[in-house]
Amino acid sequence: MTSQEIKNLTDDYIMPTYGRFPVVIDHGQGARVYSPEGQEYIDFSSGIGVNSLGYGNQKWLDAIVKQAGKLGHISNLFYTEPAARLAAILCQRTGMSNVFFANGGGEANEGVIKLARKYSFDKYGAGRGSIISLRNSFHGRTITTLKATGQEVFHNYFFPFTEGFFYAEANDINSILEADDLAEREADYFGKDEGVGGNICAVLIELIQGEGGVLPLERDYVNKLAALCAERDWLLLVDEVQTGIGRTGSLFAFQRYNIQPDVVSFAKGIAGGLPMSGFLANEKCKNILTPGTHATTFGGNPVCAAAGLAVQEILSDEFLLEVQWKGQYLREQIESLNLPCLGKTRGMGLMIGIEVKDGYSNKSLASQLIENGLLVLTAGSGLRLLPPLAITKEEIDAGVAIMKKVLI
Ligand SMILES: *Cc1c(COP(=O)(O)O)cnc(C)c1O
């Protein structure tokens, strides 16, 4: 089919929930993707941080084909090897104790929230099920994870939302204490039955707010928050759906912050392009979700898990160190262009935000770049780059050359 035919069919038969760029992607190789007509694009987006190995990685492809030929799916009523091995590797590389596998980021965060509430219910009974999340965060599109998302624009249309979420400003411990006070006052006022949130049981954070604009939390704040959570027996829940699986130059961003969360979710990059997600729990939280309390049909699917194993094999410690170097190199290249529309860069590893100067629109800059052969993302009011972790220096240079040519 031609690009135009594919666009028409999409518009006729797929719900109009996405503001798409007028580009059809047909295939890819390395960090390059191509339209059906052969138009080439350098990919600084990785399908929103998913295709960490780029396109056409032979190891990944072989693992998928082999597993699909053996067993495509069987359900969690039975044991399978790929999920078991992937779970073991993730725990060994993080110091966490066990894993629940799911399918998408929002679904993983739902499970994290359920775990936190059940931890508290088991230990303290009802009336302590509220969670503090941060303003400007993003945690997903389900009814509950929309409510966990600390941006008012998302709390619309779909009432009634889930009870028991309170919001704090990022990098401000006092704001956490204020949210706790507010939860306490509401709990006193409404009573502490199971229908209301009640007191706080957990704090949910992204270490680098991704959709919010690639905004890293301050190290000192994160350490203080971790200490406060430990003191109050609030679970520290870290949403690493975007920052996880090597994106920031370590397997998880929490490893670069020197903290150990109680529960950490992952998704986007875990299987290098197949739909998979999950969350890791520490020793304290490993037996909270018991038979009958949580499940998902596709969770730990053997093909996705085999892809995840291939990703883990490639993401060695040396590879992750290279992610740090490549991120630094890309940021230096962009900053040295001194483009009038762009300000400073920020982020960690290959999760990069670029400030867009006043008077310029990030959406129209992104459109211009995409039109001219460079796929980029926006976040907050800036640009966001999430290139494949396996991108080469040559591919980085080719992408930067397009920025230089287009954004003069
Ligand atoms: C993308 C994202 C989600 C949502 O993941 P889906 O797979 O789209 O449900 C949740 N949290 C963060 C931090 C994300 O970046």
Side-chain angles (χ1 to χ4, degrees):
M1 290 175 92
T2 65
S3 286
Q4 195 54 54
E5 287 167 343
I6 293 166
K7 281 186 228 169
N8 292 344
L9 205 60
T10 300
D11 292 343
D12 286 347
Y13 290 106
I14 295 183
M15 285 190 195
T17 58
Y18 302 105
R20 296 179 203 267
F21 292 101
V23 170
V24 178
I25 302 298
D26 181 70
H27 59 281
Q29 190 59 46
R32 289 179 164 86
V33 292
Y34 300 86
S35 76
E37 289 78 19
Q39 167 86 43
E40 178 182 292
Y41 301 87
I42 299 283
D43 184 13
F44 279 3
S45 73
S46 310
I48 320 188
V50 168
N51 306 314
S52 42
L53 307 179
Y55 304 87
N57 180 285
Q58 199 60 47
K59 225 178 211 175
W60 179 80
L61 181 63
D62 289 345
I64 290 170
V65 169
K66 192 167 160 221
Q67 184 57 46
K70 273 175 74 179
L71 182 76
H73 179 77
I74 190 65
S75 91
N76 288 303
L77 299 174
F78 305 98
Y79 293 86
T80 51
E81 179 178 332
R85 285 180 48 211
L86 181 58
I89 289 172
L90 290 172
C91 290
Q92 283 152 12
R93 295 186 78 178
T94 57
M96 300 299 274
S97 296
N98 62 11
V99 186
F100 180 88
F101 285 120
N103 308 284
E107 190 198 358
N109 288 332
E110 282 274 344
V112 169
I113 290 163
K114 282 178 68 179
L115 189 157
R117 287 181 165 180
K118 186 162 183 296
Y119 170 84
S120 193
F121 190 95
D122 288 350
K123 195 160 167 183
Y124 301 96
R128 190 179 177 277
S130 288
I131 292 171
I132 299 174
S133 63
L134 299 184
R135 295 227 165 79
N136 199 45
S137 58
F138 182 80
H139 298 296
R141 294 285 189 166
T142 65
I143 292 279
T144 298
T145 57
L146 273 179
K147 192 66 198 290
T149 291
Q151 303 187 51
E152 276 309 314
V153 294
F154 286 104
H155 305 157
N156 233 317
Y157 319 125
F158 309 111
F159 301 102
F161 286 95
T162 309
E163 297 277 346
F165 285 90
F166 294 86
Y167 310 103
E169 292 299 327
N171 297 316
D172 182 352
I173 284 286
N174 267 331
S175 183
I176 296 273
L177 297 172
E178 282 164 20
D180 176 43
D181 280 346
L182 186 58
E184 173 126 30
R185 264 179 289 148
E186 284 198 10
D188 287 344
Y189 185 80
F190 290 112
K192 295 191 180 185
D193 67 57
E194 287 166 39
V196 282
N199 292 340
I200 298 302
C201 67
V203 178
L204 171 64
I205 59 172
E206 295 161 272
L207 288 166
I208 304 175
Q209 295 188 332
E211 304 301 313
V214 192
L215 303 165
L217 292 184
E218 288 161 15
R219 207 162 279 275
D220 183 51
Y221 167 77
V222 171
N223 286 316
K224 282 189 179 134
L225 181 60
L228 181 67
C229 285
E231 183 194 311
R232 304 273 179 106
D233 199 15
W234 296 343
L235 295 188
L236 179 58
L237 315 174
V238 181
D239 177 351
E240 294 231 31
V241 166
Q242 193 159 154
T243 52
I245 319 300
R247 178 52 56 188
T248 67
S250 57
L251 193 58
F252 283 92
F254 78 75
Q255 295 165 311
R256 303 200 64 189
Y257 275 86
N258 265 328
I259 55 160
Q260 194 71 18
D262 293 298
V263 188
V264 54
S265 59
F266 56 84
K268 292 185 164 87
I270 179 73
L274 292 192
M276 187 179 214
S277 72
F279 50 95
L280 288 145
N282 68 3
E283 202 58 22
K284 184 165 91 170
C285 296
K286 72 175 187 184
N287 291 324
I288 303 301
L289 295 176
T290 47
T293 59
H294 200 50
T296 184
T297 299
F298 287 111
N301 170 277
V303 178
C304 298
L309 282 169
V311 170
Q312 288 301 315
E313 216 172 287
I314 292 165
L315 265 56
S316 63
D317 291 342
E318 303 83 74
F319 180 100
L320 293 174
L321 209 56
E322 265 175 51
V323 169
Q324 296 183 27
W325 288 117
K326 286 189 282 194
Q328 201 168 341
Y329 175 74
L330 176 52
R331 287 174 62 176
E332 280 164 13
Q333 295 304 300
I334 292 167
E335 293 201 356
S336 70
L337 293 177
N338 273 317
L339 295 167
C341 55
L342 301 182
K344 285 235 164 316
T345 65
R346 58 176 174 254
M348 232 183 249
L350 282 168
M351 180 169 182
I352 298 171
I354 314 172
E355 200 181 297
V356 167
K357 293 231 179 97
D358 285 348
Y360 294 91
S361 136
N362 61 345
K363 299 254 155 55
S364 82
L365 294 180
S367 289
Q368 271 173 270
L369 288 168
I370 290 170
E371 206 172 298
N372 286 279
L374 179 64
L375 304 188
V376 298
L377 301 160
T378 60
S381 60
L383 292 174
R384 174 175 46 150
L385 308 181
L386 303 171
L389 304 182
I391 196 167
T392 63
K393 182 171 173 298
E394 181 274 327
E395 290 161 336
I396 290 176
D397 290 341
V400 172
I402 294 173
M403 296 181 87
K404 182 176 178 183
K405 189 182 82 187
V406 175
L407 302 180
I408 26 150

